[in-house]
Amino acid sequence: SEVALRGPLIDFESAEWTAQAISADLMRFRLSIMADVVMALADAALAVMLFFMFQPVSAGLSLGALVFRLLQSGLIAAGLLNLQAAIVFDDAELTLSFIALHAYGYDLGLIFFAANCFLTAVLILRSGFVPRLLGFGIGLSGVVYLTGSVLRFVAPDLHGFITPAYVLPLIAEAAFCLWL
């Protein structure tokens, strides 16, 4: 939703252009929100599935991973209200401000997801039934998410430097998904 649907409509350097682009393709923007809703629902379902899958490995760690993943999913879903607010007001600066708030909310959710990644990595490594390489990949994904999200809050000018590292979570999560 971010890359294919919403991203082409947003230019953080031009509030006016962004407002016009969204207005010209409002359905695309709305579909991007709904795609994120579906993602949040699927992620919550996955959190429950992984809880049951890893509960025999460690009930405590599995519960912790569930809680952090559900927090992430809930924060990201709640942040979608900022995207909805971006199209409610007829003010280009407000539109861009709400879109920026969504990005901060997403990164806040990713801090909790990083905690989930660390716990899931431990569960994978201890499981004996999931390839260990996937555990290392998920753990490193947590490092990328935590670093990128913390940078957005404490050093936003440096956030762009971590962006290329997000290819690691893409690979690790896709591999884990294919294994599942």
Side-chain angles (χ1 to χ4, degrees):
S1 66
E2 183 70 33
V3 174
L5 295 173
R6 192 167 47 249
L9 303 176
I10 299 170
D11 179 357
F12 281 105
E13 301 299 317
S14 174
E16 196 61 44
W17 185 92
T18 299
Q20 289 174 0
I22 291 171
S23 181
D25 207 348
L26 191 55
M27 183 53 71
R28 178 181 184 163
F29 192 82
R30 288 181 172 158
L31 286 173
S32 78
I33 295 171
M34 291 313 303
D36 277 337
V37 168
V38 170
M39 182 273 306
L41 288 168
D43 205 44
L46 178 62
V48 172
M49 184 198 80
L50 291 173
F51 167 75
F52 286 116
M53 186 172 105
F54 288 118
Q55 189 178 19
V57 177
S58 172
L61 290 176
S62 188
L63 180 61
L66 171 74
V67 168
F68 283 116
R69 193 169 194 129
L70 289 176
L71 282 167
Q72 170 255 333
S73 188
L75 281 166
I76 287 174
L80 295 173
L81 292 172
N82 286 312
L83 292 179
Q84 185 61 37
I87 59 176
V88 169
F89 301 101
D90 190 23
D91 181 306
E93 292 300 324
L94 274 177
T95 294
L96 206 54
S97 294
F98 280 118
I99 291 170
L101 279 174
H102 167 262
Y104 277 95
Y106 202 95
D107 273 316
L108 180 60
L110 288 180
I111 291 172
F112 290 91
F113 188 59
N116 165 270
C117 287
F118 297 140
L119 294 173
T120 302
V122 171
L123 288 163
I124 290 171
L125 292 170
R126 289 185 181 177
S127 73
F129 57 84
V130 180
R132 292 179 59 81
L133 184 59
L134 293 177
F136 292 116
I138 296 298
L140 289 173
S141 295
V143 172
V144 172
Y145 288 132
L146 185 61
T147 304
S149 296
V150 168
L151 281 176
R152 180 172 306 270
F153 286 100
V154 300
D157 292 341
L158 299 177
H159 184 261
F161 289 113
I162 191 75
T163 303
Y166 281 93
V167 76
L168 176 65
L170 178 67
I171 293 167
E173 290 175 43
F176 187 42
C177 179
L178 290 171
W179 180 86
L180 287 171

